[in-house]
Amino acid sequence: MRHWLFLMITASLSCNTLAEQFNVQSPDSDIRVVVDITAGKPSYSVTYKGKPVIRSSNLGFQIRDQAPLQDNLSVLTEDREVIRQQWQTVWGERLQINDHYNELSLQLREQNGDKRTLGLTFRVYDDGLGFRYEFPEQANLQDFIIDEELTEFAFAQNYQSWWIPAYRNQRYEYQYLRSAVSSIDVAHTPLTLQGDGIAIAVHEAALVDYASMTLRNIDDNQKVFRADLVPWANGVRVYASAPMKTPWRTIQIADSAVALMNSDLLLNLNEPNKLGDVSSYVKPGKYMGIWWEMHTGLANWSPGSDQGATTERAKQYIDFAAQHDIDGVLVEGWNKGWEGEWWRREPTFLFDQPVDGFDIEEVSRYAQEKGLRLIGHHETAAGISHYEAQMERAFAYYQKLGITSVKMGYVGTRLENGKEWHHGQFMVRHFRKVVETAAKYGVMVNAHETIKDTGLRRTYPNLMTRESVRGMEYNGGSPDTGNLPNHTVLFPFTRGLSGPTDYTPGVFKFDYQKHRPFNRVPTTLAKQLALYVTIYSPLQMAADLPEHYQGHPAFKFIDDVPADWSESIALAGEVGEYLVFARKDRHSDDWYVGAASNELPRQYALVTDFLDSGAIYQVEIYADGEAAHWRDNPMDYIITQRTLHAGETLILDMKPGGGAALRFVKQ
Ligand code: NOJ
Ligand code: CA
């Protein structure tokens, strides 16, 4: 639903010899963008509160078999818009989103040669800006190949940066590196930067039919990065047909890194809901699954004696889930094709045939009888054509069984038998097809190893969450011993800016050393609870086994914590150090707070001024015990309760690798 508060459109100016500089600024005037077309060459620069952020940076394209589209351009038209509107999310971190921006659109045309036309639009918000190119319909640019996008980001300072390398085998599943931006080679986005009292994140919005943008350092002395579009196997970056619009190149800017997490820029730059009323099947919530026991070596995906997916085991999960506020149970390994080292061969998965020992009809029926749902699973092993050939049938099969949620994955270093990157236009197209097919059959999507999030969940509200991060799974079975304690207080400032993360928190049993002697979940138990608030996902897993939760007083927090919010506030934090989030339940007056630390102990004074002023709350506090330590004493925690007046301060005492989780129930 859209609430039009104020919309002003200035007249379009048609000029022959226009000024060569165009200014556009944020509603609060803090962010200023200058677009310059001097000598026919477009460039832009950005300042924040008077400080340079992006120095003059080139714009344009290299189109195959054509002259570069970046000089010899003149301005044909200039349009401006002032938009002040508000819209409501179907689900999310908050209910209402302000969409307030000032827009500048230029039509540029080559003065000679092919006389091609290129549109350039900048939208400037208080929390950042987006710009994109448009190729209108024209005679000399119809179906074409983009060999390079020449967009540059010339950073004003040698900012501190947090990044993961692009073009690597494990896709986005790396721990973030911290370095001066000049020492990056090529990085995925979001790339988060800090320095000179400013925090910045470069990413993209509305990646619909294009290659994803990575950032390549082309001049480390000058800190200049260029958009490096992930190519197809044949070297083509993008197959394009005019008319078309590129994704938005986004630059979020704030006073601090923690404030970046309160930005709605990416959602604002995506198109509104295209699916209409999805309330019959799109439901944020929590899930469990036959999953962690595979990752910790207690069971196997392959059929046989260790087979995790059995009717009996699924019913045990369902029985536990039904006694708690858990909406779904995932079963990995339920279908045929998991034998042996499935990730090393051509995929053999069949998506409508259950493995022996797993009666899917009975399990699905039993789940519904108990008031929840079975969650489907499509592991593709990166075999896209193998999957696409079955996709329609696979989703119809789920629909028939009453399954309204699927987890999927693309394990493999490249797609299509080692050919395509996971992040090129090939995958972007495939994944959109998945989301659209899922919508057709009334299914929510939770995707692993897929393309990064660029805010498409606004347009497709069945696209709930994704992994696209080094997840909890690495703590269970990774030969490199898993994630560092700072990982979960780092990636919300980077990967987390792009959208919901299926990190899969909630591990309560830290002793699985029998099968995994080198692995460890590097948190305390209290921090596991905090992650339900500090990491946003509308489908949030309770990752551990039912018997590890059974009778455990701390499970009450997982039971209570919602997965859909009317408000979310990143209160405090430093990248890779600590993070404190407050969120308000979308369906009650209750608030939740999560506070998480890296390997260092720290105290945080939580001022509860986010609560309804004048109100009294009963607060339940799940905190680290005195001797808690992620390495050798993770289970030490205490639960306390007290009454609190809104505005009071609580001291949260986090131990090494620890945290705190709080529930505020309005009285
Ligand atoms: C990788 C996923 O991230 C993980 O959650 C899943 O269990 C395995 N693939 C198997 O599909
Ligand atoms: Ca994964």
Side-chain angles (χ1 to χ4, degrees):
M1 192 176 29
R2 271 175 173 242
H3 300 283
W4 292 88
L5 296 181
F6 174 57
L7 167 72
M8 192 182 102
I9 305 180
T10 62
S12 156
L13 307 170
S14 222
C15 315
N16 295 326
T17 48
L18 269 180
E20 294 184 321
Q21 280 211 343
F22 303 84
N23 298 296
V24 55
Q25 62 190 46
S26 55
D28 66 4
S29 306
D30 283 349
I31 301 176
R32 290 170 189 263
V33 179
V34 177
V35 184
D36 191 299
I37 323 285
T38 304
K41 221 172 151 43
S43 65
Y44 75 102
S45 58
V46 181
T47 59
Y48 177 64
K49 295 186 177 171
K51 292 181 185 171
V53 174
I54 304 285
R55 290 178 287 109
S56 174
S57 297
N58 290 331
L59 298 163
F61 290 91
Q62 179 65 58
I63 312 281
R64 184 161 294 185
D65 300 330
Q66 297 193 8
L69 184 52
Q70 72 164 159
D71 39 34
N72 160 40
L73 290 155
S74 67
V75 178
L76 208 60
T77 61
E78 170 194 356
D79 288 88
R80 288 180 181 269
E81 288 195 21
V82 174
I83 303 287
R84 305 287 183 266
Q85 60 188 354
Q86 202 177 51
W87 58 280
Q88 266 192 14
T89 57
V90 176
W91 47 263
E93 298 95 316
R94 69 190 104 258
L95 183 61
Q96 304 278 4
I97 292 192
N98 287 334
D99 187 19
H100 293 184
Y101 63 89
N102 297 331
E103 180 178 286
L104 164 70
S105 288
L106 300 175
Q107 284 264 11
L108 309 176
R109 173 161 303 162
E110 287 179 307
Q111 283 158 309
N112 35 49
D114 282 347
K115 301 215 163 174
R116 292 167 297 178
T117 308
L118 180 67
L120 194 54
T121 298
F122 282 79
R123 284 189 185 167
V124 190
Y125 298 74
D126 289 346
D127 53 347
L129 62 126
F131 61 93
R132 75 173 172 199
Y133 304 92
E134 186 171 348
F135 294 92
E137 220 172 315
Q138 54 195 296
N140 289 327
L141 209 53
Q142 294 180 5
D143 297 330
F144 59 100
I145 286 173
I146 296 175
D147 273 335
E148 292 282 0
E149 182 182 316
L150 302 172
T151 306
E152 290 178 1
F153 301 86
F155 295 111
Q157 303 265 332
N158 198 4
Y159 297 113
Q160 190 70 248
S161 61
W162 289 268
W163 58 287
I164 50 171
Y167 299 109
R168 298 285 293 272
N169 287 344
Q170 298 304 317
R171 309 159 302 268
Y172 302 119
E173 299 182 2
Y174 290 94
Q175 283 177 147
Y176 279 81
L177 300 166
R178 174 186 176 153
S179 75
V181 68
S182 62
S183 65
I184 295 176
D185 177 10
V186 57
H188 279 302
T189 70
L191 166 67
T192 300
L193 310 129
Q194 206 174 13
D196 199 19
I198 305 176
I200 306 156
V202 180
H203 188 47
E204 58 184 311
L207 174 53
V208 176
D209 186 9
Y210 204 78
S212 72
M213 175 179 77
T214 68
L215 296 172
R216 187 173 291 279
N217 191 341
I218 58 167
D219 183 341
D220 49 3
N221 283 326
Q222 298 302 316
K223 287 93 60 188
V224 182
F225 285 69
R226 180 176 292 158
D228 183 314
L229 306 179
V230 176
W232 293 69
N234 62 8
V236 166
R237 306 270 180 178
V238 175
Y239 289 101
S241 296
M244 67 89 81
K245 292 171 179 159
T246 69
W248 295 94
R249 277 65 192 92
T250 60
I251 306 173
Q252 283 156 291
I253 310 176
D255 291 333
S256 66
V258 76
L260 294 173
M261 285 179 280
N262 293 322
S263 161
D264 296 314
L265 184 75
L266 296 183
L267 290 179
N268 274 329
L269 288 171
N270 273 272
E271 295 300 316
N273 178 3
K274 257 175 63 168
L275 301 181
D277 181 5
V278 291
S279 58
S280 62
Y281 71 99
V282 170
K283 297 188 200 306
K286 288 162 287 187
Y287 72 100
M288 292 177 71
I290 302 183
W291 178 78
W292 187 236
E293 53 201 84
M294 269 85 128
H295 285 277
T296 52
L298 296 168
N300 209 320
W301 285 273
S302 297
S305 53
D306 291 340
Q307 180 177 328
T310 65
T311 305
E312 192 194 346
R313 187 67 176 136
K315 286 187 173 179
Q316 288 167 6
Y317 273 80
I318 292 166
D319 286 341
F320 179 86
Q323 290 159 21
H324 299 276
D325 191 14
I326 304 284
D327 305 299
V329 168
L330 164 77
V331 178
E332 295 203 358
W334 72 269
N335 58 326
K336 290 204 169 134
W338 288 90
E339 292 80 5
E341 298 194 322
W342 49 270
W343 60 94
R344 289 197 201 280
R345 60 166 184 264
E346 291 267 322
T348 51
F349 294 114
L350 300 173
F351 297 102
D352 59 355
Q353 289 190 38
V355 74
D356 289 348
F358 186 73
D359 183 345
I360 194 168
E361 286 180 18
E362 169 58 12
V363 172
S364 183
R365 185 205 62 74
Y366 188 72
Q368 286 176 61
E369 179 189 302
K370 296 271 177 167
L372 55 140
R373 302 242 187 198
L374 175 63
I375 296 175
H377 187 227
H378 289 167
E379 174 56 63
T380 65
I384 304 298
S385 35
H386 178 79
Y387 179 44
E388 285 196 3
Q390 301 180 64
M391 203 158 82
E392 200 79 29
R393 210 166 67 232
F395 279 104
Y397 181 69
Y398 279 161
Q399 190 181 48
K400 194 182 80 196
L401 289 164
I403 292 174
T404 57
S405 182
V406 66
K407 173 182 169 182
M408 53 200 314
Y410 297 92
V411 170
T413 54
R414 304 284 184 284
L415 306 170
E416 289 301 79
N417 208 3
K419 256 186 25 213
E420 300 284 350
W421 289 107
H422 280 61
H423 312 125
Q425 188 181 22
F426 175 79
M427 181 60 161
V428 171
R429 284 183 175 172
H430 162 74
F431 190 56
R432 208 181 66 238
K433 190 167 169 182
V434 169
V435 172
E436 284 172 350
T437 308
K440 187 167 137 195
Y441 291 98
V443 177
M444 297 183 277
V445 172
N446 166 7
H448 284 215
E449 296 89 32
T450 189
I451 188 83
K452 66 188 173 186
D453 202 336
T454 58
L456 281 184
R457 61 182 158 130
R458 178 176 177 191
T459 313
Y460 300 100
N462 69 322
L463 172 44
M464 308 301 286
T465 188
R466 69 188 87 200
E467 182 189 45
S468 304
V469 77
R470 202 177 143 96
M472 180 71 86
E473 60 173 331
Y474 281 83
N475 299 327
S478 166
D480 69 6
T481 72
N483 303 332
L484 296 171
N486 73 357
H487 184 56
T488 43
V489 289
L490 205 168
F491 79 74
F493 292 87
T494 51
R495 152 70 179 88
L497 298 177
S498 71
T501 311
D502 188 37
Y503 182 74
T504 70
V507 172
F508 271 29
K509 186 162 189 289
F510 296 79
D511 178 15
Y512 37 83
Q513 306 296 303
K514 185 170 159 217
H515 299 282
R516 297 284 186 259
F518 304 112
N519 288 98
R520 186 89 180 128
V521 171
T523 74
T524 64
L525 189 141
K527 179 169 165 180
Q528 285 295 309
L529 301 180
L531 299 181
Y532 286 87
V533 189
T534 56
I535 300 171
Y536 171 64
S537 181
L539 300 179
Q540 195 71 282
M541 191 175 201
D544 216 329
L545 284 48
E547 48 275 28
H548 297 170
Y549 289 142
Q550 196 71 53
H552 211 303
F555 191 78
K556 180 170 184 300
F557 186 80
I558 298 181
D559 228 347
D560 292 334
V561 70
D564 198 15
W565 308 98
S566 58
E567 195 48 77
S568 292
I569 312 167
L571 289 174
E574 293 290 342
V575 189
E577 298 287 323
Y578 76 104
L579 176 58
V580 185
F581 247 104
R583 301 188 196 267
K584 187 178 186 196
D585 181 9
R586 197 172 273 220
H587 304 289
S588 76
D589 287 329
D590 300 348
W591 280 82
Y592 291 77
V593 166
S597 182
N598 61 2
E599 63 280 6
L600 299 176
R602 70 186 81 227
Q603 287 199 335
Y604 176 73
L606 175 71
V607 183
T608 61
D609 55 3
F610 50 87
L611 299 172
D612 289 356
S613 123
I616 296 177
Y617 292 80
Q618 180 70 14
V619 50
E620 294 160 16
I621 306 169
Y622 300 73
D624 289 325
E626 261 318 298
H629 194 297
W630 71 269
R631 195 185 298 113
D632 49 22
N633 196 14
M635 301 292 289
D636 184 12
Y637 71 94
I638 34 176
I639 304 175
T640 50
Q641 296 208 1
R642 54 164 285 193
T643 304
L644 173 135
H645 289 79
E648 278 187 64
T649 298
L650 290 169
I651 303 296
L652 307 181
D653 193 8
M654 297 178 260
K655 302 300 182 191
L662 297 91
R663 176 182 186 223
F664 297 84
V665 181
K666 197 170 172 187
Q667 301 301 289

